[in-house]
Amino acid sequence: MNNTILTGCNKIIAAAYIISCCFVSGCENDERRIHELTDNKILKEEAKEIESLLSQDGKMKAKLIAPLMIRVNADTTYFEFPHSLHVDFYDDSAMVETKLDCKYGKYFENLNKVFLRDSVIVVTAKGDTLKSPDLWWDQNTKLFYTANYVEYRTKTDIYYGRKGLRATQDLTSVIFNDGGGTVQISENGFRHQ
């Protein structure tokens, strides 16, 4: 009888050993698979032929048009406009006060700021034109700014900032950094208006 108990015990131990070997061999980790499961994922959404309206306090403030928008959900959520961007900015009377065009834009949602680059052009209703390789727009303060070279033309004058500018969205106030320019003076010595 004791032999039978030992033989039964040996069978149980042998079965347990075989099963544990199966578990151990089944738990082999594939490093690539672990990275796939644990790495941070960046989620992207795409939309084509975008027309978006921005309003504040029930008033139309801007209209954005772009052929492609990519929303990237990462540490900082942003919207990217890789194939051009056009924005009409409106005054309090819902009239277009400035128009903006560029080849690339990136809107940082949490910061309410837009980075614009590649042939940035801003044109006022009067026809004054600002050109820059890149420009930031702060939605909260309604200011444009950059540290790079800019050129600003009116019908009669040309101004530039070698080290950028800070300007209101409607370009009624422009402060140039390391500025210069050409200003037309009338025959009586006064500046043309």
Side-chain angles (χ1 to χ4, degrees):
M1 193 171 211
N2 283 343
N3 248 353
T4 315
I5 292 175
L6 284 176
T7 307
C9 240
N10 286 341
K11 287 181 183 178
I12 292 173
I13 291 172
Y17 178 75
I18 292 171
I19 291 172
S20 66
C21 285
C22 290
F23 279 121
V24 170
S25 68
C27 290
E28 186 177 316
N29 295 325
D30 178 6
E31 195 172 319
R32 183 180 52 81
R33 181 71 178 137
I34 290 172
H35 283 295
E36 286 176 6
L37 295 172
T38 60
D39 281 352
N40 289 335
K41 302 283 189 225
I42 295 177
L43 303 175
K44 291 185 177 184
E45 301 172 65
E46 287 188 13
K48 295 180 179 178
E49 303 304 321
I50 299 300
E51 187 171 311
S52 177
L53 305 174
L54 170 68
S55 64
Q56 287 180 323
D57 302 323
K59 293 183 179 178
M60 176 83 132
K61 294 295 179 182
K63 177 181 176 182
L64 177 145
I65 299 170
L68 176 65
M69 177 182 78
I70 302 170
R71 182 177 190 266
V72 179
N73 212 353
D75 293 340
T76 300
T77 301
Y78 61 89
F79 294 83
E80 191 172 28
F81 303 92
H83 299 304
S84 79
L85 173 66
H86 173 84
V87 180
D88 291 329
F89 294 100
Y90 296 90
D91 63 15
D92 289 335
S93 303
M95 300 298 292
V96 175
E97 65 184 5
T98 40
K99 295 180 178 200
L100 178 143
D101 287 287
C102 65
K103 293 182 181 176
Y104 176 87
K106 189 173 190 179
Y107 170 63
F108 296 92
E109 188 174 42
N110 297 340
L111 303 173
N112 284 334
K113 291 184 180 182
V114 181
F115 176 67
L116 309 156
R117 74 164 194 244
D118 297 337
S119 305
V120 181
I121 299 173
V122 182
V123 180
T124 68
K126 295 187 306 184
D128 297 350
T129 305
L130 171 71
K131 293 182 180 181
S132 178
D134 65 58
L135 198 63
W136 281 90
W137 177 62
D138 188 323
Q139 183 179 342
N140 297 326
T141 61
K142 296 179 179 57
L143 291 175
F144 290 119
Y145 60 92
T146 185
N148 289 320
Y149 181 85
V150 295
E151 183 180 289
Y152 181 72
R153 292 178 177 260
T154 67
K155 290 178 182 166
T156 57
D157 305 325
I158 301 170
Y159 304 95
Y160 56 86
R162 288 183 197 91
K163 296 182 181 176
L165 63 67
R166 184 172 206 81
T168 55
Q169 171 180 297
D170 61 2
L171 301 181
T172 56
S173 173
V174 181
I175 300 169
F176 295 96
N177 300 324
D178 193 15
T182 305
V183 179
Q184 278 191 6
I185 303 293
S186 66
E187 289 180 20
N188 62 8
F190 293 104
R191 186 171 172 261
H192 285 282
Q193 292 294 330

